[in-house]
Amino acid sequence: MTLRFIGTTSEHGNCPTLYEVEETGDIVVQGDRLTDPEHLAQLRDVGAGETFVVIPRELLTRFAPKE
């Protein structure tokens, strides 16, 4: 799997960051893990291997693919 850096709104190498899996076009998100128990309780259909990250809206609106 080859990741292509898309962009970040962070300075000095801190997250959050977006990457694209070149072979599939899927997007990988790097960010701070969601740990708030109230927020976690509201999530639906959580798979055993899934985790959740918090990313600023600005990162998505600036760098997320438009297609």
Side-chain angles (χ1 to χ4, degrees):
M1 175 169 79
T2 305
L3 295 179
R4 180 181 67 82
F5 172 79
I6 295 175
T8 185
T9 54
S10 301
E11 296 180 23
H12 311 296
N14 296 326
C15 53
T17 304
L18 295 177
Y19 301 89
E20 177 183 13
V21 179
E22 289 188 350
E23 294 81 1
T24 64
D26 291 342
I27 302 300
V28 175
V29 178
Q30 173 187 347
D32 291 329
R33 187 174 15 184
L34 178 65
T35 58
D36 183 301
E38 290 183 32
H39 291 157
L40 290 169
Q42 297 175 53
L43 298 171
R44 298 187 221 172
D45 304 319
V46 178
E50 293 179 332
T51 191
F52 303 90
V53 296
V54 178
I55 56 171
R57 181 175 298 274
E58 177 188 6
L59 177 63
L60 291 179
T61 57
R62 186 185 302 178
F63 294 108
K66 308 297 187 252
E67 302 173 3

